């Protein structure tokens, strides 16, 4: 629960920022609370302005795979700052980072650095459209690809219809070329291709859906997307903003053994600094200016401070052969603890070091089953965890992130608090 300093800051912030925050989920509205304001972080811990310490499983929504303020990354960034923050001109470090990414994700034969996942996705879709000469794209209900106009959509009366805007301020014309299918339902994709196939430029997907909670792909789903896009000569785009460098050194495409045409990276790629990447087949990326007619530019793209953080983070991940096993094992411990504590009253999903506790008895495989969750129960669960200094996502439909900085003690205590939370919820529901 927020302390008095957090409450005071939130009150002042609401006067000058919409909702008092710079990204909606931070407002804690989904759990009917006011947010805690963070002052500093180190390792697996964050500290709020009231002096409270929390074990952090948000990890800045994914970038913190090494934990907070890793000394190796921080020292490198400090040195980079001493040389200047941004030049608006090429640097050697941009090439170094691009080379490391290409080594870890070989499908990215050519790539471009940008500033955010939203920008990277927008640019990847533009490249796919420019290459194919087609306009339509397919996205999946419940998958989030940033807040660009063409992707802020939901399904209309059915999954096989063109979509209408899911936000005020987005003209219908911006989404008329966006088709919406059901995640993990390859038949919904085939139906769209049967109707619109010659006009579909690309299919964009989170290989593990992580913005409706964590929903892994069912066997054959990603393989089916790869097959049908090849059949229709459409572009398969993996949005690996979350899964990139988290599920494996080569991301979800290494983890599942599926090679997309274009990949979008973010979060871990910038080591916690504002940086994202899009890239893929050379013939597609050669369409991007100045080589081709697909225009994309950015003053701060590839700025040396963010690039430095990315280089140091990826070097550590590249050279450490144990990190992925460790964080997946720790995630499994938490998953098993939650399953044992709550029993059949929840569905716990895991993919590598990503996890979600869904408060539903249904097996969660798509958007419909995800939103069957009891958000009031999740809010109670969140409240208990926060009071016991465990910081998890303030929304049922976000992921839990485990980092290399989480200690055995962190994991054991977290499992214990989950058990206590389950007992409290069972007791409360028994009284209702």
């Amino acid at each position: 629960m927020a302390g008095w300093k957090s409450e005071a800051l939130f009150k002042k912030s609401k006067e000058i920022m919409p909702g008092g925050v710079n990204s909606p989920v931070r407002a804690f509205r989904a759990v009917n609370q006011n947010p805690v304001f963070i002052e500093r972080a180190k390792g697996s811990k964050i500290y709020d302005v009231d002096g409270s310490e929390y074990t952090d499983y948000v990890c800045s929504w994914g970038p913190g795979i090494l934990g907070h303020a890793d000394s190796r990354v921080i020292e490198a960034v400090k040195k980079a700052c001493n040389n200047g923050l941004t030049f608006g001109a090429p640097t050697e470090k941009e090439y170094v980072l691009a080379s490391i990414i290409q080594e870890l994700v070989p499908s990215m034969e050519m790539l471009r650095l940008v500033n955010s996942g939203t920008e990277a996705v927008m640019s990847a879709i533009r490249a796919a459209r420019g290459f194919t000469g087609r306009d339509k794209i397919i996205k999946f209900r419940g998958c989030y690809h940033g807040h660009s106009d063409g992707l802020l959509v939901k399904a209309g009366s059915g999954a096989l219809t063109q979509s209408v805007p899911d936000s005020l301020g987005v003209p219908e014309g911006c989404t008329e070329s966006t088709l919406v299918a059901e995640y993990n339902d390859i038949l919904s994709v085939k139906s769209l291709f049967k109707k619109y196939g010659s006009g579909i430029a690309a299919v964009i997907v989170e290989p593990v859906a992580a913005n409706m909670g964590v929903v892994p792909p069912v066997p054959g789903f990603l393989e089916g997307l790869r097959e049908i896009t090849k059949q229709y000569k459409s572009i398969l785009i993996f949005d690996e903003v979350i899964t990139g460098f988290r599920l494996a050194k080569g991301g979800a495409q290494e983890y599942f053994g599926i090679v997309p045409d274009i990949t979008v990276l973010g979060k871990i790629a910038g080591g916690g600094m504002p940086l994202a990447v899009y890239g893929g087949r050379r013939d597609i990326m050669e369409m991007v200016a100045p080589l081709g007619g697909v225009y994309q530019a950015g003053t701060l793209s590839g700025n040396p401070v963010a690039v430095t953080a990315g280089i140091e983070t990826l070097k550590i991940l590249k050279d450490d052969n144990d990190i992925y096993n460790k964080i997946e094992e720790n995630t499994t411990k938490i998953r098993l603890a939650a399953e044992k504590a709550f029993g059949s009253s929840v569905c716990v999903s895991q993919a590598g070091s990503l996890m979600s506790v869904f408060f539903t008895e249904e097996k969660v495989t798509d958007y419909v089953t995800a939103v069957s969750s009891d958000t009031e129960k999740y809010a109670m669960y969140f409240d208990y965890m926060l009071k016991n200094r465990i910081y998890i996502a303030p929304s049922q439909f976000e992921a839990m992130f485990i980092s290399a900085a989480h200690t055995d003690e962190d994991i054991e205590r977290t499992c214990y608090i989950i058990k206590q939370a389950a007992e409290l919820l069972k007791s409360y529901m028994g009284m209702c």
Side-chain angles (χ1 to χ4, degrees):
M1 187 171 293
W4 73 269
K5 287 186 179 179
S6 285
E7 293 282 3
L9 280 171
F10 188 47
K11 183 178 181 180
K12 290 192 291 185
S13 296
K14 286 191 290 185
E15 295 298 319
I16 55 176
M17 291 183 282
V21 294
N22 286 306
S23 190
V25 73
R26 300 178 194 176
F28 279 31
R29 286 191 175 186
V31 289
N32 302 312
Q33 294 196 33
N34 288 339
V36 293
F37 277 60
I38 306 305
E39 185 174 71
R40 60 189 177 90
K42 181 66 178 177
S44 64
K45 304 293 193 294
I46 55 175
Y47 303 84
D48 70 18
V49 292
D50 291 282
S52 297
E53 176 189 276
Y54 305 84
T55 302
D56 180 25
Y57 291 104
V58 175
C59 295
S60 191
W61 305 102
I65 192 169
L66 301 178
H68 293 287
D70 183 279
S71 59
R72 297 161 290 185
V73 178
I74 294 297
E75 289 306 312
V77 167
K78 286 179 178 177
K79 291 180 181 178
C81 288
N82 289 334
N83 291 328
L85 300 181
T86 180
F87 312 130
T91 67
E92 182 181 5
K93 286 184 177 180
E94 293 170 67
Y95 168 78
V96 172
L97 178 58
S99 297
I100 295 172
I101 291 172
Q102 189 182 65
E103 178 184 352
L104 295 176
V105 190
S107 69
M108 300 180 78
E109 297 173 347
M110 186 172 280
L111 56 93
R112 174 66 64 82
L113 306 181
V114 293
N115 299 291
S116 70
T118 293
E119 185 183 351
V121 167
M122 178 181 69
S123 303
I125 288 174
R126 184 176 298 168
R129 284 172 165 157
F131 180 79
T132 61
R134 305 172 183 176
D135 292 336
K136 297 187 187 302
I137 61 166
I138 295 175
K139 73 173 293 285
F140 295 90
R141 188 151 60 130
C143 287
Y144 177 72
H145 305 289
H147 60 268
S148 60
D149 285 355
L151 290 168
L152 274 182
V153 295
K154 60 185 178 182
S157 58
L160 307 182
T161 63
Q162 289 180 265
S163 193
V164 296
D166 200 23
S167 169
L168 296 177
V170 179
E172 287 191 18
C174 292
T175 60
E176 64 185 5
S177 294
T178 303
L179 307 170
V180 180
E182 294 292 340
Y183 185 79
N184 272 336
D185 182 355
I186 196 64
L187 291 180
S188 70
V189 181
K190 289 181 177 179
S191 295
L192 289 172
F193 269 100
K194 185 176 181 179
K195 186 172 183 179
Y196 301 106
S198 61
I200 297 174
V203 174
I204 183 166
V205 65
E206 292 181 89
V208 173
N211 285 285
M212 50 179 163
V214 175
V215 183
V218 297
F221 177 63
L222 297 179
E223 292 85 350
L225 295 182
R226 180 65 286 182
E227 180 181 344
I228 198 168
T229 48
K230 282 186 175 180
Q231 178 185 345
Y232 283 89
K233 294 182 171 55
S234 295
I235 305 302
L236 178 60
I237 303 173
F238 271 13
D239 180 346
E240 294 220 46
V241 168
I242 288 179
T243 57
F245 310 118
R246 177 160 284 279
L247 296 189
K249 293 179 183 180
Q253 54 200 267
E254 176 187 327
Y255 194 81
F256 295 110
I258 308 294
V259 180
D261 301 303
I262 298 178
T263 300
V264 178
L265 301 170
K267 298 187 185 290
I268 292 172
M273 298 289 286
L275 185 145
V277 191
Y278 73 101
R281 283 172 25 196
R282 181 173 295 272
D283 57 341
I284 299 173
M285 292 303 293
E286 284 179 341
M287 296 293 294
V288 177
L291 294 182
V294 175
Y295 192 75
Q296 176 266 313
T299 298
L300 297 177
S301 296
N303 85 83
V305 180
V307 166
T308 297
I311 290 171
E312 294 305 314
T313 300
L314 296 190
K315 279 183 177 178
I316 293 167
L317 295 176
K318 185 167 75 80
D319 295 339
D320 191 331
N321 293 319
D322 297 323
I323 187 170
Y324 289 99
N325 288 334
K326 176 187 175 184
I327 59 178
E328 185 163 355
E329 287 172 4
N330 281 338
T331 308
T332 300
K333 289 178 182 178
I334 297 174
R335 174 177 60 80
L336 292 174
E339 289 176 338
K340 182 178 180 180
F342 286 102
S344 61
S345 63
V346 301
C347 173
V348 188
S349 293
Q350 178 188 355
S353 61
L354 299 169
M355 198 191 99
S356 285
V357 179
F358 292 98
F359 282 82
T360 176
E361 295 183 4
E362 291 194 60
K363 181 175 176 57
V364 175
T365 58
D366 55 17
Y367 177 81
V368 172
T369 48
V371 298
S372 72
S373 298
D374 188 326
T375 55
E376 290 186 9
K377 285 182 181 177
Y378 183 86
M380 293 173 62
Y381 171 64
F382 172 86
D383 181 66
Y384 188 85
M385 299 295 279
L386 191 67
K387 285 178 178 176
N388 285 274
R389 303 298 181 242
I390 305 291
Y391 189 76
I392 60 174
S395 167
Q396 168 69 89
F397 306 111
E398 299 285 355
M400 184 177 188
F401 298 91
I402 286 71
S403 78
H406 284 105
T407 65
D408 291 342
E409 182 182 357
D410 290 331
I411 302 301
E412 289 173 9
R413 183 174 181 274
T414 300
C415 291
Y416 174 75
I417 298 301
I418 288 174
K419 179 182 177 182
Q420 297 296 106
E423 291 177 358
L424 177 69
L425 276 171
K426 289 177 183 176
S427 174
Y428 175 81
M429 296 310 296
M431 291 185 294
C432 292

